[in-house]
């Protein structure tokens, strides 16, 4: 296998991020800072020879991907399977309210994802893993020997990185948080997976 490089990031800051509201499958627009964060990352990735760009179908991720693409003529390949975990009735709710009303589920959501049971009609982390892992395998197979940019979401990206780090869902809660447009970089060769970056924000200005 030729060397395949994945650049993975989370979308820029959104209105609901500022308001501490859960988004999941719902959406809110990027803030001015969110667009700026994407610009900073775009500058950082300017010298990279990207062969493909993939994005979640959520407008916040797509908008981020459009900024990151810069002057490249690459299409943005939209994948619904790269969307954030479906948070059910929590979507649109303030995190303080969720923590107050659903303390155990809220704790599990962040610290023991393996025990998290969503309030209908949401997803478990296991279901998120089952939809995103085949997508990642397909992206890797389709882009062997190339550099690829993937724009996704906070928890989806943690699940992807846990997969590359060979961590279980139980250990997922121990992984560091991933901030807006934080960069992860994974290099894949024959039998080797190298995590070059995890949640790196050195492009922030």
């Amino acid at each position: 296998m030729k060397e395949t490089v994945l650049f993975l990031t989370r979308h820029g800051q959104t209105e609901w991020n500022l308001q501490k509201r859960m988004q999941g499958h719902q959406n809110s627009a990027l803030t001015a800072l969110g667009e700026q964060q994407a610009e900073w990352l775009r500058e950082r990735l300017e010298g990279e020879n990207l062969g493909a760009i993939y994005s979640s179908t959520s407008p916040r991720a797509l908008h981020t991907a459009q900024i990151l693409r810069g002057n490249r003529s690459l299409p943005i390949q939209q994948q619904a399977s790269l969307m954030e975990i479906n948070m059910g009735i929590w979507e649109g709710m303030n995190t303080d309210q969720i923590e107050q009303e659903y303390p155990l589920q809220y704790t599990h959501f962040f610290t023991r994802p393996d025990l998290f049971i969503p309030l209908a009609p949401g997803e478990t982390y296991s279901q998120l893993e089952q939809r995103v892992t085949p997508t990642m395998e397909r992206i890797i197979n389709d882009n062997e020997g190339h550099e690829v940019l993937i724009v996704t979401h906070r928890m989806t990206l943690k699940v992807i990185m846990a997969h590359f780090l060979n961590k279980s869902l139980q250990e997922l809660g121990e992984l560091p948080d991933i901030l807006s447009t934080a960069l992860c970089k994974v290099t894949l060769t024959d039998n080797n997976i190298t995590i070059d970056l995890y949640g790196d924000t050195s492009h922030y200005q």
Side-chain angles (χ1 to χ4, degrees), residues 33-169:
L33 175 59
E35 292 182 343
Q36 183 66 73
Q37 289 167 335
E39 289 288 356
W40 290 334
L41 183 56
R42 180 190 60 75
E43 287 170 22
R44 180 177 183 176
L45 294 173
E46 221 155 36
E48 301 299 341
N49 185 24
L50 298 178
I53 301 172
Y54 291 84
S55 171
S56 148
T57 48
S58 293
R60 62 188 182 276
L62 205 51
H63 187 181
T64 304
Q66 286 161 345
I67 295 170
L68 295 177
R69 175 167 60 180
N71 297 322
R72 296 178 178 90
S73 56
L74 292 171
I76 294 169
Q77 301 183 54
Q78 298 182 46
Q79 307 282 323
S81 50
L82 291 173
M83 284 175 82
E84 183 59 295
I85 189 168
N86 184 338
M87 299 171 189
I89 62 169
W90 286 3
E91 295 186 2
M93 282 176 70
N94 184 281
T95 51
D96 294 339
Q97 185 190 353
I98 295 167
E99 194 171 8
Q100 213 169 7
E101 291 182 26
Y102 310 98
L104 185 62
Q105 288 101 319
Y106 186 81
T107 301
H108 285 168
F109 184 79
F110 291 105
T111 62
R112 281 300 301 272
D114 55 311
L115 300 178
F116 173 68
I117 297 167
L119 295 138
E123 280 180 299
T124 64
Y125 275 88
S126 179
Q127 286 169 322
L128 170 59
E129 188 179 43
Q130 283 161 26
R131 76 165 150 90
V132 80
T133 306
T135 300
M136 290 307 302
E137 286 169 0
R138 193 176 71 249
I139 289 172
I140 291 163
N141 290 335
D142 288 352
N143 296 280
E144 191 181 326
H146 294 283
E147 293 186 357
V148 181
L149 173 64
I150 298 165
V151 184
T152 181
H153 303 265
R154 183 186 187 183
M155 295 307 175
T156 306
L157 188 45
K158 279 189 84 170
V159 166
I160 291 168
M161 292 308 292
H163 173 74
F164 287 128
L165 288 160
N166 211 14
K167 301 273 187 193
S168 67
L169 283 181

